[in-house]
């Protein structure tokens, strides 16, 4: 997993050298996504099945655990992209949060409070009450529209109460971008049995993109989330028709840099001895720099990655080599999340 970090360093050294030679300066903005692993508060909400959350099932000092988890998540987010962008993500999608209050506690934590993150959040129809949301630094990103979409999924004529899909449109510096944050239905019952549910979620994303195009014909769309699918699964390849090679991307296509990472053995989580890359950020063609053009006059993806530093990885026991999770068998482990965060650097010439 350290190969990605090493490759990033080499690429940025080369790019920085080139930039100095031609006398150009560049803006770098980080876009990220992080599944926060059951970020629930310690109060029982009678309208949700939050009693099933790990922190509510624990015995002992739930408040101490809650604030320790908040601090640890703040530690991770504060480092995400900081090395090259000199700050944490301008835009960060998150999943597995109970409500807006836990996000307010997170952005007010010691490691993040100076960033002055704002929050876009809706309560979703999910039975456990877990939601997606968007955090952003207003000095870089200014939203102009946001709404939540119910994926409206049915299984054998019964409605599946799952997470909604969040759309946020706004200006990253002076460029209009659209962010779609997802947390698709799980693989409960098996991958094959649950596959149609995620395909329906993917179809809803496709509809959202078509709606965006009504006012922005060739939009810059970032599609991020915990998809509970790997990049090669049918939800991506058949429904969204994602492309994994730059040379095959045409106008309106969706490019997924995480497909190549997956084929090379990289992962964002481990479950039942399987390695998966469920957490991804993909995007539409206007954000892609073709190798033969090198045009950074507008924001383009320079590099995508998985933030898998050693401190985020379990070093012993049953989950050795997996992301260092927060909860296991009814106890707090002192970890961070059972998912690695993912991120992307967007760069443009600073004129």
């Amino acid at each position: 997993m350290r190969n990605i970090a090493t490759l990033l360093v080499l690429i940025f050294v080369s790019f920085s050298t080139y930039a100095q030679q031609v006398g150009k300066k560049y803006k770098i903005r980080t876009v990220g996504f992080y599944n926060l692993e059951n970020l629930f508060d310690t109060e029982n909400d009678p309208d949700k099945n939050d009693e099933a959350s790990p922190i509510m099932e624990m015995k002992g000092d739930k408040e101490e655990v809650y604030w320790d988890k908040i601090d640890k998540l703040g530690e991770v987010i504060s480092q995400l992209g900081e090395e090259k962008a000199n700050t944490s993500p301008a835009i960060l999608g998150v999943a597995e949060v109970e409500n807006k209050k836990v996000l307010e506690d997170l952005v007010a934590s010691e490691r993040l409070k100076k960033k002055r993150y704002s929050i876009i959040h809706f309560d979703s129809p999910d039975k456990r009450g877990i939601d997606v949301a968007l955090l952003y630094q207003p000095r870089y990103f200014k939203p102009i529209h946001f709404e939540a979409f119910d994926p409206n999924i049915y299984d054998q004529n019964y409605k599946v109460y799952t997470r909604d899909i969040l759309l946020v449109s706004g200006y990253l510096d002076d460029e209009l971008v659209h962010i779609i944050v997802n947390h698709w239905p799980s693989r409960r019952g098996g991958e094959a049995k649950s596959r149609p549910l995620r395909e329906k979620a993917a179809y809803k994303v496709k509809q959202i993109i078509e709606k965006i195009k009504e006012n922005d014909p060739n939009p810059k769309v970032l599609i991020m989330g915990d998809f509970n699918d790997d990049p090669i699964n049918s939800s991506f390849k058949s429904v969204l028709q994602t492309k994994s090679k730059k040379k095959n991307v045409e106008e309106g296509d969706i490019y997924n840099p995480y497909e190549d990472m997956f084929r090379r053995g990289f992962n964002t989580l481990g479950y039942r001895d399987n390695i998966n890359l469920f957490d991804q950020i993909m995007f539409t063609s206007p954000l892609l720099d073709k190798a033969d053009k090198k045009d950074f006059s507008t924001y383009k993806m320079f590099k995508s990655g998985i933030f898998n530093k050693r401190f985020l990885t379990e070093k012993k026991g049953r989950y050795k080599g997996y992301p260092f999770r927060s909860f296991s068998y009814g106890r707090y482990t002192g970890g961070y999340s059972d998912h690695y965060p993912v991120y992307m650097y967007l760069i443009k010439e600073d004129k």
Side-chain angles (χ1 to χ4, degrees):
M1 288 183 224
R2 291 197 293 270
N3 291 346
I4 284 183
T6 303
L7 182 60
L8 271 175
V9 170
L10 291 174
I11 287 176
F12 267 100
V13 168
S14 299
F15 187 81
S16 298
T17 302
Y18 169 76
Q20 289 171 5
Q21 289 173 347
V22 298
K24 291 182 179 180
K25 294 182 178 180
Y26 291 85
K27 291 181 180 178
I28 304 175
R29 302 286 180 251
T30 309
V31 176
F33 174 81
Y34 197 11
N35 181 319
L36 302 180
E37 192 200 353
N38 289 298
L39 182 55
F40 278 65
D41 62 28
T42 59
E43 299 178 10
N44 180 30
D45 186 336
D47 297 325
K48 300 176 182 177
N49 186 27
D50 59 349
E51 299 93 334
S53 66
I55 197 166
M56 294 296 288
E57 293 177 337
M58 284 180 49
K59 296 179 181 178
D61 193 339
K62 295 181 176 65
E63 284 289 322
E64 181 179 354
V65 166
Y66 173 75
W67 289 109
D68 188 63
K69 181 170 173 63
I70 287 284
D71 182 65
K72 283 186 162 64
L73 292 174
E75 177 186 0
V76 178
I77 294 168
S78 69
Q79 295 185 39
L80 193 58
E82 197 275 338
E83 182 180 4
K84 297 302 176 185
N86 296 319
T87 186
S88 52
I91 298 170
L92 179 71
V94 294
E96 285 201 16
V97 298
E98 183 183 9
N99 50 42
K100 190 173 183 179
K101 178 61 169 62
V102 299
L103 293 170
E104 290 171 341
D105 289 340
L106 176 61
V107 301
S109 64
E110 188 64 30
R111 300 174 191 267
L112 294 181
K113 62 184 181 182
K114 292 183 180 179
K115 313 292 185 181
R116 300 186 181 277
Y117 275 105
S118 293
I119 301 165
I120 296 175
H121 166 271
F122 293 89
D123 288 315
S124 80
D126 181 84
K127 285 187 175 180
R128 278 188 56 217
I130 59 175
D131 308 328
V132 299
L134 191 83
L135 310 181
Y136 64 93
Q137 294 194 54
R139 58 179 167 160
Y140 302 125
F141 180 70
K142 294 176 173 54
I144 59 172
H145 174 79
F146 46 88
E147 63 181 302
F149 293 84
D150 186 338
N152 206 28
I153 298 172
Y154 285 81
D155 184 21
Q156 298 180 354
N157 295 321
Y158 288 95
K159 185 173 176 60
V160 177
Y161 290 95
T162 187
R163 281 75 61 176
D164 52 21
I165 298 173
L166 176 63
L167 166 66
V168 180
S169 300
Y171 285 90
L172 180 62
D173 296 315
D174 58 349
E175 293 186 26
L176 180 61
V177 297
H178 312 271
I179 302 103
I180 302 175
V181 188
N182 302 262
H183 187 187
W184 289 357
S186 75
R187 294 189 169 193
R188 186 176 291 109
E191 188 277 326
K193 182 179 179 181
S194 59
R195 185 185 306 153
L197 307 183
R198 290 182 297 281
E199 290 176 341
K200 291 171 183 175
Y203 183 70
K204 175 58 72 172
V205 170
K206 195 171 183 177
Q207 289 181 316
I208 294 170
I209 294 173
E210 290 305 310
K211 181 177 180 181
I212 292 169
K213 288 181 178 179
E214 292 174 4
N215 296 308
D216 188 0
N218 192 24
K220 294 183 174 181
V221 183
L222 296 137
I223 306 154
M224 63 176 63
D226 172 1
F227 297 98
N228 278 303
D229 262 344
D230 291 315
I232 60 171
N233 289 133
S234 57
S235 55
F236 298 117
K237 304 308 293 181
S238 298
V239 181
L240 291 177
Q241 299 181 325
T242 55
K243 302 293 179 62
S244 63
K245 296 184 183 298
K246 289 184 178 183
K247 65 181 182 180
N248 295 333
V249 177
E250 299 179 357
E251 184 174 312
D253 286 343
I254 297 169
Y255 174 65
N256 188 355
Y258 288 85
E259 183 173 341
D260 181 61
M261 295 183 210
F262 178 70
R263 293 185 187 280
R264 289 188 289 131
F266 294 100
N267 69 294
T268 58
L269 75 156
Y271 179 66
R272 293 183 177 177
D273 297 325
N274 291 320
I275 296 299
N276 296 106
L277 208 167
F278 289 169
D279 308 85
Q280 304 160 53
I281 305 173
M282 58 205 76
F283 53 89
T284 52
S285 57
L287 285 164
L288 180 64
D289 168 56
K290 291 295 188 79
D292 59 335
K293 292 185 177 179
K294 294 298 177 189
D295 176 14
F296 292 99
S297 58
T298 62
Y299 273 121
K300 299 287 173 55
M301 185 277 293
F302 187 68
K303 187 64 183 178
S304 297
I306 301 167
F307 192 72
N308 52 12
K309 289 197 173 183
R310 292 191 57 165
F311 76 93
L312 290 175
T313 302
E314 180 62 68
K315 297 175 180 59
K316 59 184 179 180
R318 176 176 181 176
Y319 299 109
K320 183 178 179 180
Y322 290 179
F324 187 11
R325 61 198 301 135
S326 298
F327 302 101
S328 178
Y329 295 99
R331 67 181 182 87
Y332 180 59
T333 65
Y336 299 82
S337 171
D338 54 356
H339 291 245
Y340 292 127
V342 291
Y343 65 98
M344 174 170 54
Y345 288 118
L346 293 175
I347 69 169
K348 69 180 291 188
E349 292 179 32
D350 190 4
K351 298 177 180 179

